[in-house]
């Protein structure tokens, strides 16, 4: 059996595996897609000490770093369930059961898509999901934000300070964001809010050049020109497979304490799959390190 079995090969999982291996622990990683969300990221400008890198390049660096240690990497494998017998047992979708004394869950999250024509085609060519990451790429341009919840309105306020103009599109007749955020938003001079509208298509040729939407009360189709659109309709944690075993909040995020312990003894969690309030690479790496050190602590006490 492993001492530490990490589920997930993104920034959180890789960081926890390296920390665990450096403690001399027998460490394994099970990852569906080694690298995680960064594989879908082009420019990364906030990975501190590296002023600019690209997702696929950073994923290569992860691989190189992991190779320096005796870490057993099992790629293209999906965990299906976890249970505790004498040891912790993780069942894989392909049928095998992997045993370990401790487990670190780092299965990350995925952005909810609007699923309209153009979304896939213009991803990274105007269609973005992370304002902290990609906002500065649209400095001086016109952008739209899809979604009038807290994350959408926070994104719009954030972007309004960087871009020329922001249009918010919300499907419901009113915004769902907290009142303070809405007040803040309505005080900004370069923001337009469209409610009761349905996004129909992201348009463009090589790159995104606009959005077609339908006014739901009049059924009229309209088009606005934008160079960027931020989709902000939710981040979904990859935790469905933990149903009934590990405690999660209403959003499906794994609840962890400051030591990254979960509700199951010996099981830790890190990164975007947890209730950590902010989801970023450096934050995921930090929590991965914390989870590994906590697992080490657990092992020397049990
Ligand atoms: P993830 O990166 O999501 O990794 C999860 C891992 O778990 C993957 O290997 C996945 O395959 C695996 N997995 C999932 N389910 C299972 C399962 N059941 N069994 C086995 N394996 C499983 N952050 C920044 O700091 N700067 C940026 O510039 C930036 N840009 C971004 C741009 C885009 C388009 C996106 C989508 C995100 C961006 N982020 C950025 C956010 C950043 O990528 C995430 O915060 C970070 O990747 C989270 O790391 P993680 O390890 O928690 O999860």
């Amino acid at each position: 059996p492993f001492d530490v079995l990490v589920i997930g090969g993104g920034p959180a999982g890789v960081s926890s595996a390296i920390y665990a291996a450096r403690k001399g622990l027998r460490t394994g990683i099970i990852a569906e897609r080694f690298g995680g969300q960064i594989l879908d990221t082009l420019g990364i400008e906030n990975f501190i000490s590296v002023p600019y890198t690209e997702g696929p390049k950073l994923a290569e660096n992860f691989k190189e770093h992991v190779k320096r240690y005796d870490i057993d990497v099992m790629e293209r494998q999906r965990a299906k369930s976890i249970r505790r017998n004498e040891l912790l047992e993780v069942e894989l979708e392909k049928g095998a059961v992997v045993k370990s004394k401790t487990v670190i869950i780092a299965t990350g999250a995925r952005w909810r898509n609007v699923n309209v024509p153009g979304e896939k085609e213009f991803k990274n060519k105007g269609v973005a999901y992370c304002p902290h990451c990609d906002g500065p790429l649209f400095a001086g341009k016109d952008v739209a934000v899809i979604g009038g919840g807290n994350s959408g309105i926070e994104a719009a306020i954030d972007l309004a300070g960087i871009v020329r103009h922001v249009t918010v599109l919300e499907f419901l007749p009113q915004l769902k964001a907290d009142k303070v955020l809405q007040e803040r938003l309505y005080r900004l001079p370069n923001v337009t809010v469209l409610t009761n509208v349905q996004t129909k298509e992201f348009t463009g040729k090589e790159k995104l050049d606009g959005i077609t939407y339908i006014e739901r009360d009049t059924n009229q189709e309209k088009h606005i020109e934008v160079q960027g659109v931020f989709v902000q309709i939710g981040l979904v944690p990859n935790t469905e497979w933990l149903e009934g075993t590990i405690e999660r909040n209403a959003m499906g995020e794994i609840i962890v304490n400051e030591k990254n312990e979960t509700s199951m003894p010996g099981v830790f969690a890190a990164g975007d799959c947890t209730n950590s309030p902010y989801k970023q690479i450096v934050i995921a790496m930090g929590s991965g390190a914390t989870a590994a050190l906590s697992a080490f602590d657990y092992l020397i006490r049990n």
Side-chain angles (χ1 to χ4, degrees), residues 2 4-9 13-31 34 62-75 292:
F2 290 105
V4 178
L5 178 63
V6 178
I7 319 292
V14 168
S15 160
S16 57
I18 290 172
Y19 265 74
R22 288 173 58 76
K23 288 286 181 195
L25 301 172
R26 237 199 116 211
T27 305
I29 300 180
I30 290 170
F34 190 91
F62 284 1
K63 219 167 227 171
E64 281 304 309
H65 202 164
V66 162
K67 268 196 209 144
R68 300 219 178 178
Y69 298 91
D70 190 14
I71 296 172
D72 201 344
V73 181
M74 294 156 268
E75 275 189 75

Side-chain angles (χ1 to χ4, degrees), residues 22-68:
R22 288 173 58 76
K23 288 286 181 195
L25 301 172
R26 237 199 116 211
T27 305
I29 300 180
I30 290 170
E32 190 182 11
R33 247 173 114 218
F34 190 91
Q37 288 170 66
I38 59 165
L39 292 176
D40 306 321
T41 309
L42 208 54
I44 299 170
E45 302 182 347
N46 57 3
F47 186 52
I48 307 311
S49 86
V50 181
Y52 181 84
T53 186
E54 293 181 350
K57 169 90 174 71
L58 185 58
E60 263 321 297
N61 294 347
F62 284 1
K63 219 167 227 171
E64 281 304 309
H65 202 164
V66 162
K67 268 196 209 144
R68 300 219 178 178

Side-chain angles (χ1 to χ4, degrees), residues 26 75 97 108 113 117 150 164 170 175 185 219 238 279:
R26 237 199 116 211
E75 275 189 75
V97 172
N113 295 328
N150 280 336
R164 187 167 63 183
E170 164 57 49
L175 299 181
L185 181 80
N219 224 7
N238 299 318
K279 320 288 191 200

Side-chain angles (χ1 to χ4, degrees), residues 211-269:
I211 300 177
T212 305
Y213 63 90
I214 296 166
E215 283 185 345
R216 293 173 64 213
D217 47 0
T218 62
N219 224 7
Q220 258 190 53
E221 194 172 298
K222 302 232 162 130
H223 185 262
I224 48 168
E225 283 178 21
V226 289
Q227 288 89 56
V229 51
F230 285 81
V231 178
Q232 296 289 304
I233 53 174
L235 190 67
V236 195
N238 299 318
T239 60
E240 293 87 350
W241 63 286
L242 300 168
E243 179 76 53
T245 51
I246 304 259
E247 209 184 314
R248 296 173 300 155
N249 66 18
M251 267 123 61
E253 297 168 332
I254 300 169
I255 298 171
V256 292
N257 62 14
E258 72 284 0
K259 289 183 78 186
N260 286 68
E261 293 167 320
T262 71
S263 59
M264 192 184 278
V267 180
F268 305 82

